[in-house]
Amino acid sequence: MKAIILAAGKGTRMGSLTHDLPKPMLMVKGKPILEWIIRGLYQEAKVEHFCIVVGYKAEKILEYFKEGQFLGIKIDYRFQKKQDGTGKAPLVAKDLISNEPFFLSYGDILLGDCREYGRMVHAYKGDGLVGLTDGNDLSKGGAVFIGSDGQIIDIIEKPQDPALSKGAFYNAGIYLISPKIFDFMENLCLSPRGEYELTDALRMFSRHGRLYGFLIAGSCVDVRDPQTLGSLNS
């Protein structure tokens, strides 16, 4: 089992906290956010080979994790040279992924119960699983609509009209997915905000394949701002 973790962004909403560090390296209870993610995937889903996509302050991540020896894993690095969104960022690691499903995660998503990674492995079906949560503010992320069989039927990015997201779940930013996703990433167009959006690739995949929602039990925190980071360390 392999995993790609997206950790190239600066995290501008963190303000001065990310002047010298990329957001995934900010500390939560004595460890970087990124380390909690890696440890959870290794311990609960038996992921032993990671590729971290780096960009802003990449040297901080490389200096800390090196090749993963102290965690008993293997880490490769790929650079996202242009910060143009998350839609095409995983493509820089495509050469490391075979024909098997792989985990894909943002580098700032923390699970309250890391056993959920293992549950995703056991629940895998079709072309992949999209981690979902309930009760989050859908205007800040992807609104995912699923059918009665759990298959994803549509995804809307940051819907501002509550009527458009009624009955939807929040895209948690954790995926266990087929490498077929790369085909849709390669054919992305720029979004209205001038970025390649991972949500757009997932939407296209859901229309041509079989993606299913996986409702994550327990907390799932997007460490998006200083207030969220502070609450995790309190």
Side-chain angles (χ1 to χ4, degrees):
M1 183 70 68
K2 297 179 180 179
I4 297 174
I5 303 179
L6 305 181
K10 178 180 180 180
T12 55
R13 285 177 291 191
M14 285 293 180
S16 62
L17 294 176
T18 51
H19 281 176
D20 299 313
L21 286 174
K23 184 166 68 167
M25 291 302 293
L26 294 176
M27 293 289 182
V28 171
K29 297 191 181 302
K31 292 184 178 68
I33 297 167
L34 188 53
E35 184 174 345
W36 286 113
I37 296 170
I38 291 172
R39 285 183 180 274
L41 284 167
Y42 171 57
Q43 293 168 3
E44 302 298 337
K46 311 307 179 189
V47 176
E48 296 183 344
H49 190 177
F50 292 79
C51 181
I52 304 176
V53 179
V54 294
Y56 175 74
K57 300 289 184 182
E59 69 279 3
K60 299 294 185 180
I61 295 176
L62 273 68
E63 289 169 2
Y64 185 89
F65 289 100
K66 298 181 173 63
E67 295 179 353
Q69 299 94 325
F70 80 98
L71 292 170
I73 58 171
K74 175 179 174 57
I75 298 179
D76 285 294
Y77 299 93
R78 293 292 185 272
F79 285 80
Q80 184 182 9
K81 296 178 180 179
K82 185 177 181 182
Q83 297 295 306
D84 55 2
T86 57
K88 290 196 173 186
L91 286 172
V92 299
K94 180 181 177 181
D95 63 303
L96 295 175
I97 303 297
S98 61
N99 293 321
E100 299 298 322
F102 66 99
F103 273 97
L104 174 62
S105 176
Y106 292 109
D108 56 0
I109 306 295
L110 288 177
L111 294 182
D113 185 351
C114 290
R115 290 176 296 181
E116 292 301 284
Y117 293 126
R119 283 188 60 226
M120 288 185 77
V121 174
H122 292 295
Y124 185 89
K125 60 182 176 179
D127 293 311
L129 302 180
V130 175
L132 306 175
T133 61
D134 200 4
N136 293 72
D137 183 353
L138 295 172
S139 67
K140 294 181 179 180
V144 182
F145 298 83
I146 60 175
S148 58
D149 61 349
Q151 188 169 338
I152 292 172
I153 55 179
D154 199 9
I155 305 174
I156 301 176
E157 179 68 7
K158 296 181 175 67
Q160 300 304 304
D161 183 352
L164 295 177
S165 57
K166 186 177 180 180
F169 293 89
Y170 186 85
N171 181 356
I174 302 170
Y175 315 94
L176 179 55
I177 200 161
S178 161
K180 294 176 186 177
I181 186 67
F182 292 127
D183 295 335
F184 299 95
M185 292 175 177
E186 288 170 342
N187 290 295
L188 283 175
C189 297
L190 290 170
S191 70
R193 64 175 185 166
E195 293 188 357
Y196 295 107
E197 309 282 358
L198 180 54
T199 300
D200 291 339
L202 291 167
R203 184 186 304 109
M204 288 191 291
F205 197 1
S206 70
R207 292 173 179 174
H208 294 85
R210 292 181 299 129
L211 292 182
Y212 291 85
F214 176 86
L215 190 59
I216 294 171
S219 65
C220 179
V221 181
D222 177 358
V223 192
R224 61 164 57 96
D225 52 41
Q227 292 73 30
T228 305
L229 182 65
S231 67
L232 291 170
N233 283 310
S234 61

